Amino acid sequence: MAHVHEQLLTTPLPELHGHGLRLRSWDAESDAHTEAWLRGLTDPEFQRWNTPLKLITDIDGARDSLRSRAERAADGSGASFRVTDESTGSTLGHIGVNEINAVTRCARIGYWVLPEARGRQVATRALALVAGWALSELGLHRLELGHAQGHEASCRIAERCGFLYEGTLRGAMFEAGRYDAFRDVHLHARIATDPEPGVGQPGGGRGPGVA
């Protein structure tokens, strides 16, 4: 197994496929990708549960944000995937392996799904796919997933994908739309030695793989 940093310095990121999805790199120079990224970050449901350190409100900001993601992939500190339908290629959402520490082999997972793709277990399927890759091919030992307390959908997604609930972090993230108030975070995590959860794919599609 290659070292974590060596794996991430491979350009471009591998395409991951399975569970009816294909995970691909984002392209900051693509107008379609940039527009989808902007829609995801300005969606009211996303903003209800997340308060980014830097607000993205227009297409230029979205493009700069995607370029920053590409830089993190280049220096080995992150891996951002555009979640697409394996059959149609349409963009469904985003999932990222963030804050990668190549020494401790730990990282944090974040994701969102576009409004029109909700209700189809896209986040569950994408999380199962990228977690399997990160804990095997990438060589990470531990993946953490944190979400605002009260976000029951994220709790269910984490549990389906084998991310055990480990506790509540008090005042660990900003309240929605505010930088002067805090809320608690539920912490889930999965380590490489945990059993692989059984996450099915719609229509009996192929299991996970790397293209």
Side-chain angles (χ1 to χ4, degrees):
M1 181 183 297
H3 188 277
V4 174
H5 190 254
E6 293 171 347
Q7 280 278 49
L8 279 177
L9 288 180
T10 302
T11 303
L13 290 173
E15 288 190 2
L16 310 180
H17 60 86
H19 307 311
L21 303 175
R22 187 173 289 271
L23 275 53
R24 315 165 187 254
S25 296
W26 289 92
D27 180 3
E29 307 314 312
S30 164
D31 290 342
H33 288 201
T34 305
E35 289 165 5
W37 186 257
L38 179 61
R39 282 206 300 129
L41 298 187
T42 56
D43 177 69
E45 187 66 12
F46 173 85
Q47 293 185 342
R48 176 185 177 192
W49 298 110
N50 301 273
T51 306
L53 294 178
K54 183 178 181 180
L55 291 177
I56 307 299
T57 59
D58 57 31
I59 208 74
D60 289 337
R63 200 178 301 278
D64 287 343
S65 176
L66 279 181
R67 286 171 177 157
S68 294
R69 293 274 176 166
E71 290 171 1
R72 290 173 203 162
D75 69 17
S77 63
S80 295
F81 293 96
R82 182 171 62 101
V83 181
T84 72
D85 184 278
E86 190 167 32
S87 299
T88 67
S90 59
T91 301
L92 305 177
H94 160 77
I95 188 163
V97 183
N98 309 310
E99 301 176 33
I100 294 173
N101 186 318
V103 177
T104 61
R105 294 163 56 198
C106 296
R108 296 182 69 86
I109 289 277
Y111 57 83
W112 48 258
V113 177
L114 290 171
E116 65 270 20
R118 291 176 188 149
R120 296 159 49 189
Q121 295 193 338
V122 169
T124 298
R125 293 184 280 143
L127 179 57
L129 190 56
V130 81
W133 167 76
L135 293 170
S136 58
E137 298 299 321
L138 186 56
L140 292 179
H141 169 68
R142 175 179 169 89
L143 282 177
E144 296 182 350
L145 189 161
H147 63 81
Q149 186 169 4
H151 196 346
E152 299 301 328
S154 269
C155 252
R156 291 192 296 271
I157 291 165
E159 290 168 355
R160 287 190 198 114
C161 294
F163 285 74
L164 301 181
Y165 171 65
E166 294 189 341
T168 299
L169 307 178
R170 296 176 300 152
M173 70 182 296
F174 290 121
E175 285 281 3
R178 298 180 62 179
Y179 297 98
D180 60 348
F182 298 86
R183 54 183 163 176
D184 294 348
V185 170
H186 275 186
L187 176 65
H188 299 256
R190 180 173 153 187
I191 61 175
T193 53
D194 286 340
E196 184 74 22
V199 178
Q201 56 266 17
R206 290 180 295 170
V210 178

